[in-house]
Amino acid sequence: MVHQYKQNGYNIVLDTCSGSIHSVDEVAYDIIAMVVENKTEAEIIAAMLEKYSELTEADVKECLEDVEALKEAKKLFTPDTYEDLAFDFKARNTVIKALCLHVAHTCNLNCSYCFASQGKYQGERALMTLEVGKRAIDFLIENSGSRRNLEVDFFGGEPLMNWDVCKQVVEYAREQEKIHNKNFRFTLTTNGLLIDDEVIEYANKEMHNVVLSLDGRKEVHDHLRVNYNGDGSYDTIVPKFQEFVKKRGDKNYYMRGTFTHNNVDFTKDLFHMADLGFTELSMEPVVCDPADPYALTEEDKPVLFEQYEILAKEMLQRKRDGKPITFYHYMLDLEHGPCIYKRISGCGSGTEYMAVTPWGELYPCHQFVGDEKYSMGDIWKGVTNHEVQDEFKCCNAYAREGCKDCWAKLYCSGGCAANAYHATGSITGIYEYGCDLFKKRIECAIMMKVAEAEMDEAGFVTGTEDCSNCEGC
C-alpha cells in the first residue's frame, strides 16, 4: 500500500505498512505511480521517454532497479500482514493504565459548542467526593496488573471547581504508589478562570501535563467561550496562562483550542498564541450537529487544508529562525513511534483507558459519559458490561470496512470511536470529515519530517517499530 503526494516542493512516497517515507525526484515519483498501476516495464519506459526527453532507456531501467531494491528491502510495496493481529485483541487480557476523573460535572463557563453540555453531560451538576476519588485510585491500581506507570486526568466541566479534592486525590495516590510500586502521572485540563498562585505552584509540582483552553484571538475566543452573563473570558485567563507557563519551566503543557466555521483561518489563532509566548499548541476541529451555525461545512474543507499547509511551512521557518513552536497534531516520531499493536488498537478507550463520573460510574471515555448504553460498570464492582468492553477491544483500523484500504490507517488506528459513534451511530463507523482533516494533517507532518531531514542532510526517513521502552501490551 503506497501513498503519493506533492507538497511544498517535495514529491513524497509513503509505504504504509513499513512506515518508510521517501522524498524522490519527478521521474522516480512517476515511475512508482506506474508501478502502483501495474504497468509493464515496456509501458513505463515508453511513457517516461515520451515525458522526459532528457532520459535514456538505461536511466529508466536504473530507476526501476532502485524501486525493486526498495521492495526487496521491505521499504516499498510492503504487504499488509497485520490484519490477523487486529482480531486477536478480543482475547487479550488487557490492563487499565489510565483514568479520566470527572471531578466536576459543572463549569463556570457556558460555551455553546461544549460536547459535555456545559459540564453536566446531559445529567445533573455534581462534584466528585474524596471517597470516590480515592476509590478510583484503588480501582486503577487493582486493575493495572504489572504495569508501573499509571495516568490520571483531572477533567470536567471545570476541575478547579473541585480543586481541594484533586489535591487530596494526588496525595492519596502518592501514598499508594509507594506501597504498590506504581508511578502516577497526573494531567489537569482547565479553562483558567480559577487559576491563582496556589494552583500554579501545586500544578507545576504535581501535574505531569497541563492543558489550557484558549481558542486564540480575543474576538474568536470570546465569541463562544463566555460565562453565564455572556461575557468573554479572554482578558481574565490570558494573563493567568502566561504566568502559569512562565513558571512551568520545562514541564509539559499545551494550549488547546477549538476552531469552528467562524474561524476557519485558525492559523491566525495559533500564531496569536505563539505571539503571546505559548509554544506548545493544539487546535481541534469542532465536532457538533451539522445544523449548528458554527459547524464546519464542506465548503470549509479546502480552506482548512490550505491552513494546515500554511501552518507546516511557518513552523519550518520558525524552526530555521530558532523560534520553534510545537503543534500537537504534527508530533510524529518516524523512528521510535508506537508499536504495531498500538497502531492497530488506537487510544485504548474502553479497555486500557476509562472515564469515571462523580458517582464512580465507568464509561469508555469522557465523550461517552451520560450515554447509558455505554455504561460499563463502576469503580466498586469493576467492569460488568463486558459486551461493551469486547466491542471496544475490536474497535480498530481493521474493524472498519472503509479503513482497510486507507493509507493512513496505521497513523489514526481507525480514528476516534466517539466521533464515529456520534456521526454514524456506531463506534466502528467512519466520521469522514474528521478522516479527511486527519489525513491532511499527517501529510503535512510527514512533509515537515522530509524537510527537516533535508536540512539535516539525512536523506530519506524510514519508519520503524520499536517496543524497547514499552511496558507491554
Side-chain angles (χ1 to χ4, degrees), residues 86 343-346 394-405 409-410 412-415:
R343 286 173 179 261
I344 295 172
S345 62
C394 291
C395 181
N396 58 63
Y398 290 87
R400 298 169 167 89
E401 283 298 321
C403 293
K404 288 184 178 180
D405 296 322
K409 64 186 177 185
L410 296 182
C412 76
S413 308

Side-chain angles (χ1 to χ4, degrees), residues 65 106 114 157 235 250 267 393 399 457 465:
E65 289 172 0
T106 186
C114 179
D235 289 337
D250 60 356
T267 57
K393 282 185 179 182
E457 298 181 347
E465 306 295 348

Side-chain angles (χ1 to χ4, degrees), residues 113 224 259-264 285-300 304 431 433:
Y113 61 24
L224 292 174
F259 67 80
T260 72
H261 179 68
N262 300 329
N263 63 313
V264 289
V286 70
V287 179
C288 61
D289 189 322
D292 288 334
Y294 46 80
L296 296 169
T297 68
E298 282 298 320
E299 290 71 27
D300 291 334
L304 298 176
Y431 174 46
Y433 201 106

Side-chain angles (χ1 to χ4, degrees), residues 217-235:
R217 293 162 288 177
K218 176 178 168 63
E219 64 272 20
V220 170
H221 180 91
D222 283 350
H223 184 65
L224 292 174
R225 297 190 68 81
V226 299
N227 62 25
Y228 282 86
N229 292 324
D231 301 321
S233 54
Y234 179 95
D235 289 337

Side-chain angles (χ1 to χ4, degrees), residues 100-117:
C100 181
L101 292 192
H102 288 225
V103 293
H105 270 198
T106 186
C107 191
N108 44 13
L109 285 183
N110 188 27
C111 309
S112 54
Y113 61 24
C114 179
F115 76 91
S117 304

